[in-house]
Amino acid sequence: MAHLSTLHHTTDSLDSIKADAISIGIFEDGSLTARGKSIDVLMNGQISSATKRGDIKGKDGETTIFYSDHAPIIVIGLGKSKEFDTESIRKAGGTLAKKAIAKKYPHVACENFGGKGIEPFGQALAEGLTMGSYQFNDYITQKKDELFELEKVTVSGGSKAGLEKGTIIANGVCLARNLGNHPGNVTTPTRLAEEAKKIGRKGNMKVTVFDREKFTKMGMGALAGVAAGTDEPPKFILMEYWGAKKSVKPKVLVGKGLTFDSGGISIKPASKMDEMKFDMCGSAVVLGCMQVIAELKPKINVVAAIASTENLSGAKAYKPGDILTAYNGKTIEVLNTDAEGRLILADALSYVSKHYDPAFIFDFATLTGAVVVALGHIATGIMGTDERLIEKVKKSSEMTGEKVWEFPLWKEYCDQVQSKIADVKNVGAPREAGTIAGGAFLKEFVDEDIPWCHFDIAGTAWGEKEKPYGPKAGATGNMVRLVLDTLGI
Ligand code: BES
Ligand code: MN
Ligand code: ZN
């Protein structure tokens, strides 16, 4: 495990814990928590005098190490005490985990950084520590002695229940990162299906995997069209979790599981094509969430659907000009085989719209390069049909610190995906509003009365500027925490 997967909680005082380092926090006004104060006393007031001299500023991200006879003391800046919130504590946890790895301290003990005994603070600390400890070194076989993993963190004080919950949630984020970071020859559709089954066994979920022959017969002509160019077996994966009465409408999560996107016949340029191993990150969000649900077993109903294939240009590959028929019967004129994500999602969205009575549908997809142009690697583009649902998503976004920005799905845009010779086409107006065109296309495959929100995560699933609890590079697992928050977990 290249991240901490459990944390230890104790009510013992920090200095009584046998650890390789001890960590406390300090605010910008120089104030320490009760546990911090007792460490300062033990250090003969060195920490407070360093603060008075201005050597410690308490800014977030700041770390200062004092070497005592007892153990090194890592002092973490917590920012302004007036602005202290769950994100401050999440950042402190991430900063500490990274510092401990850099200093090669296998076991650190820390306080709960001013989080009091309240569950959300304990949860945020565990999220920060766990996500911050994440590294992806699975393929390094040489110079292994240069690698170092954090083995243990003991938290003194704070909410034990919060810590446990935060750890489980962050493990879901790390699962999403792992699935994304493994290359396309490892994270295949078959591998995603195996992961879904494993999660299903843990969470008493019903998992059904449809193979090429089966989903083609069922009428998923769009997924079958995209999958035609590859020999790697494609899968349509369904997971059902019934934690409430069957009469309660399920919340539905749909993911794009494109395990490698070459563009197909409309092939992509070679530069950065390797990054298209991340084109399954939508499905990784879904699996990350389902793993957390399997562990926490909330009293809700959730259905997950993942459409998964490669997009290659094999001899049987679909071609520009081809017309495909989706699961809901709509015909699609393919004008660019590189706009494949919306095709495989068309079948998944039609399927869940028809067979369940969803309370709402979320779909997650690395759908357009255009969203990176619009929002960079900072925010996920969202759009949908139900104001209340979108508001809920925005609220959760504020809670979890995963930024979202809404795009309009006005009729003018929806008109741009209408085809002259089929019902719809898979591209909008050339070089215009590409992200919205993606959303407008998907809208055609969601029943009108179902609240729906589409998440274009092409900018946020990887390539983010390093955050205190984020990875140095690679998949971020972004949106897992936001979705769990909207599910009330
Ligand atoms: N997976 C890509 C989107 C993508 C591109 C994500 C770059 C992250 C970085 C998607 O399948 C795609 O190729 N979309 C096309 C759509 C276009 C042909 C209408 C795109 O964005 O260029
Ligand atoms: Mn593509
Ligand atoms: Zn793609």
Side-chain angles (χ1 to χ4, degrees), residues 262-269 273 313 336-338:
S262 73
I265 298 292
S266 316
I267 198 161
K268 287 181 181 295
M273 199 202 270
S313 46
N336 190 319
T337 64
D338 198 11

Side-chain angles (χ1 to χ4, degrees), residues 108-127:
V108 296
C110 67
E111 61 159 339
N112 72 326
F113 300 113
K116 305 193 183 66
I118 306 167
E119 192 176 300
F121 286 111
Q123 179 183 330
L125 176 58
E127 289 172 359

Side-chain angles (χ1 to χ4, degrees), residues 59-70:
K59 293 222 180 298
D60 83 43
E62 180 194 68
T63 57
T64 316
I65 303 186
F66 290 83
Y67 295 94
S68 74
D69 291 341
H70 182 72

